[in-house]
Amino acid sequence: MSVFQTYLQLGFFHIFNLQAYDHLVFLLALCAPYAAAEWRRVVALVTSFTIGHSITLALATLGFVQYNAKLIEILIPVTILITSLLNLRQAGLDTRREPLLWALPNLLAAVFGLIHGLGFSSYLRELLGQSSRPVAELLAFNIGVELGQLLIVAVILLVGFVVLRAVRVARRDWILVVSGAAGGIALVLLLQNLTG
């Protein structure tokens, strides 16, 4: 197996690592307001997030950015909490008529990706060691992360489709329950990081 394939797999499977469950919770909160028919919008959101975390992941891994790991551990659940609160606030509203509300999630996803990328960087630095050409590894890892995220998003949208269509749960209720659960997990994680 090539180095590129190895890091592609590492990025893909890193998303499913239970130690990175905060990332899964963020994706859950990010997808909560959207139905399966809006999959293109969700892919755009996830890609915005990937672009953000790819930038800081590369900068931190290559040593161009220094950061406080404890602060990042606190900020990651804050990103989930903010996303969840925005979902709760907008549940039941038709945001298609509000151009600002349509663009805001993509911008926030990219900004929040910058924070999550710093969280990934310590893991990736350990994997790379003293690699002489980490650019290929960084690219492969980020592509793997994106593919993993898209699979998770597909599962979330599929579950949402079943709940909304087959079980006939109101979309507003789905958004409230999923966002409330993601926000609750984020709050617990935040409190653990603040007191730990």
Side-chain angles (χ1 to χ4, degrees):
M1 185 182 313
S2 71
V3 172
F4 190 89
Q5 289 173 314
T6 300
Y7 279 88
L8 185 76
Q9 285 186 358
L10 286 169
F12 183 83
F13 289 114
H14 178 67
I15 296 301
F16 300 98
N17 184 337
L18 290 181
Q19 292 178 334
Y21 75 93
D22 54 348
H23 193 86
L24 297 173
V25 176
F26 180 77
L27 290 174
L28 183 64
L30 196 65
C31 295
Y34 303 100
E38 298 170 293
W39 66 269
R40 287 181 186 88
R41 191 164 174 196
V42 177
V43 168
L45 277 173
V46 172
T47 302
S48 296
F49 177 72
T50 300
I51 290 168
H53 80 64
S54 297
I55 291 168
T56 50
L57 178 62
L59 291 175
T61 302
L62 296 172
F64 293 114
V65 172
Q66 302 298 317
Y67 64 94
N68 181 322
K70 182 68 176 166
L71 178 61
I72 296 303
E73 286 177 16
I74 291 168
L75 289 177
I76 287 174
V78 169
T79 65
I80 301 167
L81 198 53
I82 290 170
T83 303
S84 298
L85 290 172
L86 287 171
N87 292 346
L88 293 172
R89 184 174 177 270
Q90 295 174 8
L93 297 178
D94 185 3
T95 59
R96 291 173 293 188
R97 297 181 184 177
E98 297 288 337
L100 179 62
L101 292 179
W102 202 93
L104 183 62
N106 288 72
L107 179 62
L108 282 177
V111 171
F112 291 165
L114 295 171
I115 295 167
H116 285 251
L118 293 173
F120 281 157
S121 65
S122 59
Y123 168 78
L124 187 56
R125 265 199 313 264
E126 288 175 21
L127 290 175
L128 288 169
Q130 299 299 320
S131 176
S132 59
R133 45 166 225 220
V135 174
E137 289 90 334
L138 278 165
L139 178 63
F141 187 82
N142 282 314
I143 292 171
V145 167
E146 176 76 348
L147 293 173
Q149 289 177 153
L150 291 174
L151 179 59
I152 290 164
V153 164
V155 170
I156 293 168
L157 291 177
L158 180 62
V159 170
F161 179 80
V162 170
V163 170
L164 295 172
R165 291 288 177 95
V167 184
R168 299 204 178 276
V169 169
R171 186 169 175 172
R172 180 180 178 275
D173 294 341
W174 166 257
I175 294 170
L176 292 175
V177 168
V178 172
S179 298
I185 293 168
L187 192 56
V188 169
L189 186 58
L190 177 61
L191 292 173
Q192 287 175 346
N193 290 339
L194 286 171
T195 58

